[in-house]
Amino acid sequence: QVQLVESGGGLVQPGGSLRLSCAASGIMFSSNTMGWYRRAPGKQREWVALIASGGGTNVANSVKGRFAISRDNAKNTVYLQMNSLKPEDTAVYYCNTVPAANGYWGQGTQVTVSS
């Protein structure tokens, strides 16, 4: 079965950085467009970034210039480098395919940006 396991979250001060990882199993990882999503308290889950199988990337306007997505197909892992973090980036971060598959959601990893 498909498993997506996110890690790397934590508490960070505004302006800080974190690198999230998502290890995938049970899917043809290298042939899938992968994405990061987040759900902030009291809000709906939103898309953050994607990386195509060929390596092309796109990020949401709200994180442009601060976040970068990458992948390592040999490790079946997708990463999200988050720099210049803001309090409004506080959320649970998830990875999934793009478009997202309902049955693939993992537990996510909590990112809290606070002084």
Side-chain angles (χ1 to χ4, degrees), residues 30-81:
S30 61
S31 62
N32 273 279
T33 295
M34 298 298 297
W36 283 96
Y37 304 79
R38 67 185 181 186
R39 177 177 282 159
K43 295 186 177 181
Q44 290 191 332
R45 186 154 40 201
E46 64 176 355
W47 167 76
V48 175
L50 68 83
I51 183 165
S53 56
T57 64
N58 196 11
V59 298
N61 287 336
S62 59
V63 304
K64 196 159 289 185
R66 301 188 298 120
F67 290 13
I69 187 171
S70 60
R71 67 192 298 162
D72 185 336
N73 288 336
K75 295 182 179 179
N76 284 3
T77 300
V78 60
Y79 304 97
L80 186 68
Q81 178 67 45

Side-chain angles (χ1 to χ4, degrees), residues 10-16 85-91 111-115:
L11 173 64
V12 63
Q13 292 187 341
L85 282 160
K86 304 176 181 180
E88 51 264 42
D89 295 318
T90 295
V111 172
T112 303
V113 185
S114 175
S115 54

Side-chain angles (χ1 to χ4, degrees), residues 3-4 6 12-14 23 26 28-29 31 35 50 52 57 73 77 82-83 94 106-107 115:
Q3 276 196 313
L4 299 173
E6 301 91 348
V12 63
Q13 292 187 341
M28 291 292 290
F29 180 82
S31 62
L50 68 83
T57 64
N73 288 336
T77 300
M82 306 187 296
N83 300 325
Y94 305 86
Q107 295 296 315
S115 54

